[in-house]
Amino acid sequence: LLASLGTQAALAIENARLLETTQQGLKEVNALYRITQGLVASLDNEQLMKDVVHLLQQNFGYYQVQIFVIDNQSDELVMRYGSGKTGELLNEQRLPAGAGIVGHAVETGEPFFTNDVDKVVFYIPHPLLPDTRSELAVPIQVDNNVLGVLDVQHCLPNRFTEHDLQLVKTVARQLAVALQKAELYSDLQTSLQQEKAVRLQLIQSERLALVGRLLASVSHE
């Protein structure tokens, strides 16, 4: 009887574990779908980055999510968007090129994650993020050209797994394509505005020339 009950209990525990795993998987798929839909629909770079950090923190419970972009003039890393109130305080703060885990990800062009930041010699703690214990940084890049870094932190050690790495890499790839698309759209809009301005100038010049010819004709008469 006990053996039979033990078998039934084992099956029940296994089914509960499978149900929990399935529910977590559905939650992640739903979150990725929402992120992807947002990236596809929007052509606003600022809104894209803001939505990504918000959705990642909201759906996966990360301690901090932030996006750095590279300043092409100075090569510094500029924090453009971060999650929560801390992210607002960190907005536009800069890191020297190659500094910290984020800088390391830019220099190598490869993702980097640690489950114990205290063991990373180039880790730079921040006073506004005192509880960081694990960190995962993934380059945002197009055709090997690094545009920035998607950085995720957790307040627990041994938090990140290969699954988290794949998840953040997927989001970073989608974000890179979306940012490139938004930049191309912005460049196109700028070109159209310039072309419109030139066309208006030509029309104005033609009008002035016509008036000049008319005045010359009247003066002659």
Side-chain angles (χ1 to χ4, degrees):
L1 178 60
L2 289 174
S4 178
L5 289 173
T7 300
Q8 294 297 323
L11 289 172
I13 292 171
E14 179 63 15
N15 287 337
R17 186 186 66 79
L18 290 173
L19 176 62
E20 182 180 358
T21 301
T22 302
Q23 289 176 334
Q24 180 64 21
L26 288 173
K27 178 182 177 182
E28 293 177 1
V29 169
N30 180 58
L32 284 175
Y33 174 77
R34 290 176 60 192
I35 290 172
T36 302
Q37 286 296 102
L39 295 178
V40 169
S42 178
L43 290 171
D44 183 347
N45 280 354
E46 303 301 318
Q47 191 62 43
L48 284 174
M49 292 185 281
K50 186 176 181 180
D51 289 344
V52 165
V53 298
H54 174 71
L55 288 170
L56 280 175
Q57 186 184 50
Q58 183 183 51
N59 287 277
F60 300 104
Y62 294 130
Y63 170 54
Q64 176 71 3
V65 181
Q66 48 198 16
I67 294 175
F68 289 84
V69 297
I70 299 175
D71 184 337
N72 293 325
Q73 300 296 323
S74 64
D75 289 333
E76 291 179 319
L77 292 159
V78 184
M79 213 285 275
R80 292 300 296 275
Y81 275 100
S83 55
K85 295 295 183 183
T86 303
E88 295 178 6
L89 295 173
L90 290 170
N91 193 29
E92 296 300 325
Q93 291 201 11
R94 292 172 173 261
L95 283 175
I101 289 176
V102 172
H104 178 78
V106 171
E107 285 195 333
T108 61
E110 296 291 338
F112 180 90
F113 81 92
T114 175
N115 278 315
D116 187 353
V117 293
D118 293 333
K119 293 182 179 179
V120 179
V121 294
F122 49 83
Y123 169 68
I124 301 175
H126 197 286
L128 293 179
L129 296 169
D131 298 325
T132 299
R133 295 294 176 270
S134 304
E135 186 168 357
L136 165 59
V138 176
I140 302 168
Q141 54 187 342
V142 177
D143 298 329
N144 296 322
N145 180 33
V146 179
L147 307 176
V149 175
L150 177 57
D151 183 64
V152 178
Q153 301 178 22
H154 208 283
C155 55
L156 297 175
N158 301 315
R159 173 60 178 81
F160 293 123
T161 64
E162 191 68 25
H163 181 75
D164 291 287
L165 175 60
Q166 295 304 319
L167 170 70
V168 178
K169 284 173 66 176
T170 299
V171 175
R173 283 195 296 266
Q174 294 289 333
L175 181 59
V177 173
L179 289 175
Q180 185 183 45
K181 179 186 70 173
E183 184 176 353
L184 290 173
Y185 178 77
S186 178
D187 291 343
L188 176 61
Q189 291 296 101
T190 300
S191 297
L192 288 174
Q193 291 295 329
Q194 291 174 346
E195 189 270 339
K196 182 179 179 180
V198 170
R199 190 167 64 249
L200 289 174
Q201 287 177 355
L202 289 174
I203 292 173
Q204 185 66 16
S205 297
E206 183 62 26
R207 286 175 178 172
L208 291 174
L210 179 60
V211 171
R213 288 195 296 270
L214 180 59
L215 289 174
S217 176
V218 170
S219 176
H220 176 72
E221 293 297 329

